[in-house]
Amino acid sequence: MGVLQKEIIQILLLFITAAIAGAIAGHFLLLMLLVALVLLIHQLFQISRFERWISRGGRGQYPKTTGIWEEIYYHVYRIKKSEKRRKKKLGKVINQFRESTEALPDAAVVLNSEDEIEWANKAARQVLGLQQSDKGQRIPNLIRFPEFIRYLKSGDYSDAVILPSPVNNRIILAVRIVTYGAGLRLLLAQDVTQLKKMETMRKDFVANVSHELRTPLTVLKGYLETMLDMDDGHSPLLTSSFKEMWNQTERMHHLVDDLLMLTRLETKQNKIHCINIPALLSQICKEGDTLENASRRIQLTLESPAHIYGDEQELRSAFTNLLGNALKYSPDDSPVKVRWYQDKDEIVLAVEDQGEGIAASDILRVTERFYRVEAKRRKKVSGTGLGLAIVKHVLMRHDAKLNIASELGKGSCFSCHFPVKRICA
C-alpha cells in the first residue's frame, strides 16, 4: 500500500473516531470541526517548513517528518541532488570547452542576437584586440572595417571575408561567422597571412613568366612565319614540321595571353561603366559568324534591351570564350543559340549548343585552370584549358554566377546570371 493511501486511511480513521466520540458526548459537529482545524494547522505548518527549506536551496538534510511529507521531502531531495550532479558535469564540460577554445590557434568570439560579445578566447584578444572588459560590447564598435560590418549585416555567411588585423595590419585574417542556437553566432578569425603571401608570389610568378615568354615567342613566331613563306614545298617533312611548329607556337601564344588575362583579373581593379550588352553581343556574334565553321550557325535572341555596369573588355572576353567553346565543341552544321533576357531578379546570358555535352562528374571541374574533359572526338579541338576559368573570374568580379546544364550526346547550356542591381539602362 502506498504512502498516500495510508495517509488517507489515517485521516478517515481520525474522523470516524471523532465522529463516534462526538456522538457519545453529544458534541459531534464541534469535534469534527476541531479535528479538521488540527489537520489544517498541521498541513500549514508542513507547508511553511517546506517553503523555508526550498527557499534555502534545499541544501543539506531535509527536516524530519512522517507520512506523505516525508515522501515529498525525499523526492525533492533526490531531484536536487541529481540536478547538482548534472550541474557539476555540465560545469566540467564548459570548462573543457573553454580550455580547448583557449588553446585554439584561431580567434573565436561568441556573439548574441544583438551583435554583443558573450565570450572570446585568447587568440581573439591577440589578433582582434579584444579585452576581457569588452564583454557586452557590440562587435561593430570594436572592429570597424566597412567590409566586416557589411558582412555582419548581410546575414549571408557562406563565404569568409578577408580583413587586416585591427592590431597589426600586416596580419591578414579570414573571418567567418557560424550561426547556432537561439540567435547565437560564433565568429572565427583565421590567420591567412602566409597563404596570402604564397598566393601573391604565385600570381607574380605567373605574371612575370608569362610576360617574359611573350618576347621570345614573338621572335620565334616571326622566324617561323618567314620560313613558311620561304618554303617551296619540295620537302613534305619540312613543310609539315614548319606548320606543326607554327601551330604549337600559336598555342603557346594563346596560353600566355590567357595566363596574363587571369593575372589581370586577380590583381587589378576593373573599370566600371554602363555597357550596351545587346550591341556587344551583336558584335561578338557577327565576329563569330566570320569563322570558317560558324557560317550562319549563331542564332542571337535579344529579349531585353538592358545595359549593365561592368568592364567591357572583361565581359567581351568571357562572352567570346563561351561562344567560341560552343562553336568548337558542336557539329559544324548545328546551331548555337545566344539569348539575352531578364528573369525575375536576374538578367541572363545563355549560350546553348547541340554538341557532345559534358558528364555530370566533369561539370564541377570544367572551370578549373587547365582542366579539359577527356573525350573521344572525330576532330582535334585546340585550346588552353583556361577559357572557362577566365569566364568564372570575370563573372565573380561582376557579382554574377555561371550555371552549367549539360547532357552527354545532346549538348550544353552555359548561362551567366547577373543581379538586376547591375542594370544601368
Side-chain angles (χ1 to χ4, degrees), residues 2-266:
V3 176
L4 181 61
Q5 286 85 352
K6 287 182 180 179
E7 191 88 2
I8 292 171
I9 289 172
Q10 288 175 1
I11 292 171
L12 288 174
L13 287 173
L14 184 61
F15 271 107
I16 291 170
T17 303
I20 293 171
I24 293 171
H27 298 290
F28 174 80
L29 186 60
L30 181 62
L31 280 174
M32 293 296 286
L33 287 173
L34 186 61
V35 169
L37 182 62
V38 170
L39 288 173
L40 179 61
I41 291 171
H42 174 72
Q43 295 301 324
L44 288 173
F45 170 74
Q46 293 288 4
I47 291 170
S48 175
R49 191 162 65 160
F50 180 74
E51 190 276 331
R52 287 196 303 272
W53 182 67
I54 286 293
S55 65
R56 292 195 300 268
R59 298 187 183 91
Q61 191 65 31
Y62 54 85
K64 294 290 183 182
T65 185
T66 59
I68 189 67
W69 280 104
E70 184 180 15
E71 287 294 307
I72 292 172
Y73 276 114
Y74 174 69
H75 288 302
V76 171
Y77 176 75
R78 283 186 60 190
I79 291 169
K80 296 290 289 183
K81 200 170 182 180
S82 176
E83 182 184 345
K84 188 177 180 181
R85 284 197 299 267
R86 282 198 300 269
K87 282 185 176 179
K88 192 174 181 180
K89 188 176 180 181
L90 181 61
K92 286 183 179 178
V93 172
I94 291 173
N95 287 334
Q96 288 174 355
F97 168 77
R98 286 181 174 173
E99 288 173 4
S100 60
T101 49
E102 284 289 337
L104 282 175
D106 298 338
V109 183
V110 175
L111 304 174
N112 63 19
S113 58
E114 301 298 324
D115 300 332
E116 295 171 345
I117 298 172
E118 295 281 340
W119 173 85
N121 69 350
K122 182 180 178 181
R125 296 191 289 273
Q126 290 175 344
V127 300
L128 296 176
L130 302 181
Q131 305 295 328
Q132 291 281 11
S133 58
D134 289 333
K135 184 178 179 181
Q137 294 290 323
R138 296 186 73 250
I139 197 75
N141 295 338
L142 303 173
I143 303 176
R144 301 182 180 182
F145 296 108
E147 305 95 314
F148 173 73
I149 295 173
R150 282 196 298 269
Y151 177 71
L152 186 65
K153 289 181 178 179
S154 70
D156 180 11
Y157 307 134
S158 54
D159 296 316
V161 61
I162 306 300
L163 305 168
S165 167
V167 295
N168 185 349
N169 57 15
R170 289 180 295 180
I171 297 175
I172 307 299
L173 301 174
V175 178
R176 182 183 295 275
I177 292 177
V178 180
T179 58
Y180 73 98
L184 295 176
R185 286 165 293 174
L186 179 63
L187 183 151
L188 299 170
Q190 182 182 15
D191 186 344
V192 293
T193 308
Q194 291 301 319
L195 289 175
K196 287 295 176 183
K197 284 182 179 178
M198 291 173 65
E199 188 178 348
T200 302
M201 289 171 63
R202 177 189 63 79
K203 290 176 183 177
D204 291 344
F205 173 76
V206 172
N208 291 334
V209 169
S210 301
H211 184 74
E212 292 299 323
L213 281 173
R214 294 195 76 168
T215 301
L217 278 174
T218 303
V219 173
L220 183 60
K221 191 176 176 181
Y223 278 117
L224 283 172
E225 189 173 2
T226 303
M227 290 177 181
L228 281 170
D229 291 340
M230 294 173 60
D231 182 25
D232 53 11
H234 291 308
S235 173
L237 177 61
L238 197 61
T239 302
S240 63
S241 298
F242 282 152
K243 286 182 178 179
E244 183 61 26
M245 290 167 68
W246 172 265
N247 291 336
Q248 292 303 319
T249 306
E250 276 284 286
R251 183 172 178 273
M252 282 294 294
H253 201 275
H254 290 312
L255 179 61
V256 168
D257 286 345
D258 285 348
L259 283 171
L260 287 171
M261 179 67 178
L262 273 173
T263 302
R264 284 195 295 270
L265 291 173
E266 291 177 337

